């Protein structure tokens, strides 16, 4: 049996997939639809001091018409506070088995924070998330990333809230800092029950080359926004791992709810493997709708079954031990590139990037002299890229630019004999890292 339910800081959830605070969690109607689709929890769009949002609010970063990231200038909820609180209460009553967290934000005023917290607690919410990450609009009011970038303020405001609530307290961290572990430490010292990260990254997504306006344009003007979406995933993974690896986090068993670029079940598993207990999505839902949960649940279940895991706890944090300081990496480990001529489509990208941006260890050679049978493939059917193993440093750039799956593989030099196509083989290496002995035929694998 595959069990996807989790317990996060004492909060039960039927699965680890939550909606992050944002446009998809702005109303009871949206959460009803999300929970009906299968999401295990949601963080209500941040509520607090009244704001006035602008129009328009979004711009995107695209490659070949595919959106890689969203830049937003949207502030916290502009709906009446009492309406939000009323709908939160209704949602929790209707969905008692789902995690309902409320994100809050206030100005640097203790009484305002305490008053807002008491109202949220009365709504029946399962937990509170302190939004210390918003990078635009709110910092000018002394809140958002203004607090999240200052460990002293982060610790202080967290302690204010902790004193007046019994609910689990999640602090949402900003990535717009030099060292996120410092603010994570401050939040825990202030009384945080859990942490969530990352919030959006301050950004400008583009400039209109005809009008010279910065996007999104609001009457010809713009501002620095918050960047989210697939493109920020590597940054989010790195910061999640850093926080999860903290001695304080591990000793106190502080759970982490991770977000940032998650759009598939594979993305989710990566964050769970790096120490997250739950994962949150926003941009992926904004671009695809709540139906995305079907693939998330199905993919996670099938992966767990294939790996022999029965619960999230079985593999949570399993990849953290593979991260070490750079000086602990093994300098004698060596791989070289190996190109399969039967899969090669003669685009020569490997040759070009190795020549122009790497280590000049790929040549173009006459394939007829090497291989008895060469498939016809156009104008340069007789030319093949060939790796010189004695010069290859194993950077793997060629493998990453190759458009054909498994055409280029990185082969560990520890192997004494690399079997290639029938009748062709590489001779043994004298020792790891040394030059090859004898004649070597390159670029062929089977």
């Amino acid at each position: 049996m595959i069990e996807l339910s989790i317990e996060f800081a004492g909060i039960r959830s039927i699965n680890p997939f939550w909606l992050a605070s944002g446009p998809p969690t702005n109303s009871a109607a949206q959460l009803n639809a999300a929970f009906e689709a299968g999401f295990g929890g949601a963080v209500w769009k941040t509520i607090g001091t009244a704001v006035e949002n602008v129009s328009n609010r979004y711009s995107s970063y695209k490659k070949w018409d595919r959106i890689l990231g969203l830049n937003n200038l949207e502030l916290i909820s502009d709906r009446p506070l009492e309406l939000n609180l009323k709908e939160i209460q209704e949602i929790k009553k209707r969905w008692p088995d789902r995690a309902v967290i409320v994100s809050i934000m206030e100005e640097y005023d203790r009484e305002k924070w305490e008053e807002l917290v008491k109202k949220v607690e009365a709504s029946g919410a399962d937990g509170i998330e302190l939004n210390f990450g918003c990078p635009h609009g709110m910092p000018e009011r002394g809140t958002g990333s203004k607090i999240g970038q200052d460990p002293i303020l982060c610790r202080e405001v967290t302690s204010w809230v902790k004193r007046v609530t019994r609910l689990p307290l999640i602090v949402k961290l900003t990535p717009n800092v030099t060292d996120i572990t410092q603010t994570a430490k401050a939040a825990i010292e202030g009384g945080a029950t859990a942490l969530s990260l990352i919030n959006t990254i301050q950004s400008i997504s583009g400039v209109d080359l005809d009008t010279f306006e910065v996007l999104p344009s609001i009457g010809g003007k713009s501002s620095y926004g918050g960047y989210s979406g697939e493109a920020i995933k590597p940054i989010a993974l790195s910061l999640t791992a850093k926080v999860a690896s903290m001695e304080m986090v591990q000793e106190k068993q502080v759970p982490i709810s991770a977000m940032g670029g998650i759009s598939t079940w594979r993305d989710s598993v990566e964050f769970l493997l790096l120490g997250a207990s739950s994962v949150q999505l926003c941009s992926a839902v904004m671009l695809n709708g709540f139906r995305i949960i079907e693939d998330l649940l199905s993919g996670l279940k099938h992966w767990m079954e294939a790996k022999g895991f029965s619960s999230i706890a079985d593999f949570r944090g399993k990849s953290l031990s593979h991260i070490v300081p750079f000086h602990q990496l093994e300098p004698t480990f060596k791989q070289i590139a190996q190109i399969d001529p039967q899969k090669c489509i003669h685009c020569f990208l490997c040759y070009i990037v190795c020549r122009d941006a790497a280590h000049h260890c790929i040549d173009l050679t006459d394939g007829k002299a090497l291989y008895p049978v060469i498939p016809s493939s156009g104008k340069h059917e007789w030319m093949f890229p060939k790796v010189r193993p004695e010069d290859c440093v194993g950077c793997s750039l060629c493998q990453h630019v190759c458009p054909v799956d498994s055409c280029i593989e990185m082969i560990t030099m520890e192997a004494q004999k690399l079997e290639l196509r029938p009748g062709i083989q590489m001779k043994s290496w004298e020792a790891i890292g040394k030059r090859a002995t004898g004649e070597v035929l390159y670029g062929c694998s089977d």
Side-chain angles (χ1 to χ4, degrees), residues 29 36 73 102 104 143 145 189 227 244 358 381 385 387:
E36 286 175 356
L73 287 173
V102 178
I104 65 173
T143 188
S145 62
E189 291 173 343
Y227 192 54
E381 64 179 13
V387 178

Side-chain angles (χ1 to χ4, degrees), residues 56-353:
N56 55 57
R57 305 172 190 177
Y58 305 117
S59 59
S60 62
Y61 177 61
K62 295 181 178 180
K63 282 292 183 181
W64 299 290
D65 293 327
R66 182 169 176 266
I67 296 178
L68 299 179
L70 287 174
N71 182 58
N72 84 86
L73 287 173
E74 183 159 314
L75 301 179
I76 65 176
S77 176
D78 52 13
R79 304 167 75 229
L81 176 61
E82 295 306 319
L83 176 60
N84 277 308
L85 294 171
K86 176 177 176 292
E87 291 189 358
I88 292 168
Q89 189 173 38
E90 293 172 354
I91 281 291
K92 190 55 199 176
K93 286 182 178 179
R94 182 171 179 179
W95 299 94
D97 64 338
R98 308 303 167 96
V100 178
I101 315 298
V102 178
S103 175
I104 65 173
M105 182 188 291
E106 263 298 350
E107 298 173 4
Y108 184 69
D109 185 313
R110 180 170 179 170
E111 291 185 359
K112 288 184 177 181
W113 279 98
E114 292 178 346
E115 181 182 355
L116 180 57
V117 168
K118 291 175 182 178
K119 289 181 178 180
V120 171
E121 189 166 355
S123 72
D126 295 307
I128 295 174
E129 182 180 83
L130 304 184
N131 186 346
F132 290 166
C134 185
H136 56 272
M138 307 311 295
E140 290 89 334
R141 305 184 182 203
T143 188
S145 62
K146 176 68 174 180
I147 295 175
Q149 291 172 334
D150 187 331
I152 295 176
L153 292 179
C154 180
R155 182 185 301 107
E156 183 180 21
V157 177
T158 303
S159 67
W160 291 349
V161 176
K162 184 66 176 178
R163 291 190 188 103
V164 295
T165 184
R166 295 170 295 175
L167 292 178
L169 189 58
I170 307 168
V171 171
K172 188 171 186 177
L173 303 175
T174 174
N176 302 298
V177 291
T178 303
D179 185 358
I180 198 169
T181 64
Q182 294 303 307
T183 45
K185 179 175 180 287
I188 296 170
E189 291 173 343
T193 315
L195 301 170
S196 62
L197 61 149
I198 59 173
N199 209 312
T200 54
I201 300 171
Q202 192 175 81
S203 66
I204 288 177
S205 64
V207 178
D208 189 308
L209 300 186
D210 293 320
T211 65
F212 313 134
E213 295 175 2
V214 174
L215 305 173
S217 176
I218 299 95
K221 302 293 182 181
S222 191
S223 187
Y224 300 97
Y227 192 54
S228 62
E230 291 182 46
I232 74 167
K233 176 189 161 188
I235 299 170
L237 283 172
S238 173
L239 297 183
T240 297
K242 284 185 178 180
V243 172
S245 298
M246 292 173 59
E247 185 176 343
M248 176 182 283
V249 169
Q250 295 184 351
E251 285 184 353
K252 294 180 177 293
Q253 296 185 330
V254 179
I256 295 171
S257 188
M259 71 207 83
I262 299 174
S263 60
T264 69
W265 68 267
R266 290 178 177 272
D267 299 332
S268 305
V269 170
E270 290 181 56
F271 280 93
L272 295 170
L273 285 169
L274 288 175
S277 295
S278 70
V279 292
Q280 299 183 27
L281 293 87
C282 182
S283 295
V285 172
M286 293 173 69
L287 298 175
N288 298 283
F290 296 133
R291 61 180 180 169
I292 194 174
I293 189 61
E294 297 176 10
D295 289 337
L296 296 175
L297 291 170
S298 176
L300 178 57
K301 285 180 181 178
H302 283 91
W303 178 82
M304 289 175 62
E305 184 176 11
K307 294 295 183 181
F309 298 128
S310 58
S311 70
I312 304 296
D314 290 343
F315 64 90
R316 187 177 66 81
K318 207 171 183 64
S319 293
L320 287 176
S321 62
H322 293 273
I323 303 174
V324 297
F326 183 85
H327 69 271
Q328 292 183 16
L329 298 176
E330 178 53 62
T332 62
F333 178 77
K334 182 70 181 290
Q335 289 189 325
I336 61 171
Q338 181 171 286
I339 305 171
D340 187 340
Q342 294 180 328
K343 295 181 179 179
C344 179
I345 61 173
H346 306 268
C347 68
F348 304 135
L349 272 174
C350 59
Y351 166 74
I352 293 169
V353 298

